[in-house]
Amino acid sequence: MFYRPADGHGLPHNPFNALITPRPIAWVSTRDSEGRENLAPYSFFNAVAYTPPQVMFTNTGAKSDREGGKDSVSIIRETGVFCINIVSRALIDAMNASAEPLPREVDEFTHAGLERAACTSIPCSRVAAAPAALECRVTQIVPLLGRDNSMVIGEVTGIYIDDACLIDGRFAYETFTPLGRLGYHDYAYVTEPFTLNRPGET
C-alpha cells in the first residue's frame, strides 16, 4: 500500500511509529524550582552527537494543567536540566506506571515505587535502579510542525553507569536487557546482540 499521511492511512491503527522500530526509551527525570520531581518515558529519543555528547527526545502531547507541553518539557524550560534514565527489563512496570497522566504535583518516583539517587552534575534525581543515566543541560528546545510537538536537545554533562553492567570495560547489554518501544502498545527486549564491523574496520 501507499498513503499520504495528510489523507489518512485507512487502517484500524496508525502504522507510523510501528515502522520505525525498535526505538530506545528516554525515561526523563526532572525537578522543578519548588523541588517537586517528575519522571516520564518518551520513545522518540536518541543520541545525536559524540563530541560533546548530545541527546534528544521529542514531546508530542500536552496536559491540561501545563503550558507548552507535558510536565517534563515545562520543567526543563524552567530549570534547564534533565536526566535520561536507561530502562531495563526489570523496570518495565515502573516505567509504565510513570507514563500515567498524573497531576503536576504528583511525584512519579513515589507513584511507581522507585528509589531515587542524586545526580552529580545537575540538581535532579535519577532512578537508582537504572543501569545507566545521562545527566543533561538543555541546549535547544526546537518547535516542530504540529500542535504540542517540540524537540529537546541536551548536552550530556555527567554519565552514571552501574558497575554491575560493566564487563571487561564494556557496557554489557546482557547484564540488564535493554527495553525498546515498537509500535502501538508493543515493546521488545534486546536479548541477542551481535558484533558487525564496518567494511575496512577490524
Side-chain angles (χ1 to χ4, degrees):
M1 67 174 285
F2 173 84
Y3 74 95
R4 300 181 189 277
D7 298 332
H9 47 75
L11 298 172
H13 305 284
N14 189 346
F16 173 68
N17 67 354
L19 305 176
I20 306 167
T21 59
R23 299 189 307 279
I25 300 168
W27 204 7
V28 179
S29 54
T30 52
R31 178 189 296 156
D32 70 18
S33 59
E34 297 179 22
R36 295 176 300 196
E37 296 199 302
N38 184 266
L39 181 66
Y42 294 84
S43 65
F44 287 156
F45 158 61
N46 222 313
V48 294
Y50 274 121
T51 308
Q54 295 162 74
V55 294
M56 61 70 66
F57 74 93
T58 300
N59 177 88
T60 59
K63 286 185 69 193
S64 60
D65 62 351
R66 282 287 192 188
E67 293 289 335
K70 297 177 183 176
D71 291 332
S72 301
V73 177
S74 296
I75 295 171
I76 292 167
R77 289 183 191 278
E78 176 186 346
T79 65
V81 301
F82 60 97
C83 180
I84 291 179
N85 303 273
I86 302 304
V87 184
S88 65
R89 180 172 188 161
L91 292 169
I92 185 171
D93 289 334
M95 181 276 296
N96 194 44
S98 73
E100 185 176 345
L102 300 168
R104 61 191 295 178
E105 65 272 11
V106 175
D107 183 324
E108 284 83 2
F109 281 92
T110 301
H111 176 74
L114 289 164
E115 181 181 350
R116 68 196 82 206
C119 289
T120 301
S121 67
I122 59 172
C124 183
S125 291
R126 59 178 173 83
V127 175
L134 308 173
E135 302 176 7
C136 303
R137 292 194 177 275
V138 67
T139 58
Q140 297 178 69
I141 299 179
V142 183
L144 302 177
L145 290 175
R147 183 176 179 182
D148 302 316
N149 294 332
S150 59
M151 179 171 58
V152 178
I153 304 173
E155 178 183 354
V156 180
T157 59
I159 299 176
Y160 162 80
I161 300 175
D162 185 342
D163 289 341
C165 297
L166 292 171
I167 297 178
D168 297 329
R170 292 178 56 254
F171 186 53
Y173 317 114
E174 62 270 25
T175 62
F176 66 93
T177 310
L179 180 70
R181 182 73 189 270
L182 302 178
Y184 316 112
H185 297 294
D186 302 328
Y187 292 81
Y189 298 122
V190 177
T191 57
E192 298 182 14
F194 61 92
T195 299
L196 179 66
N197 291 333
R198 296 176 183 176
E201 292 183 341
T202 57

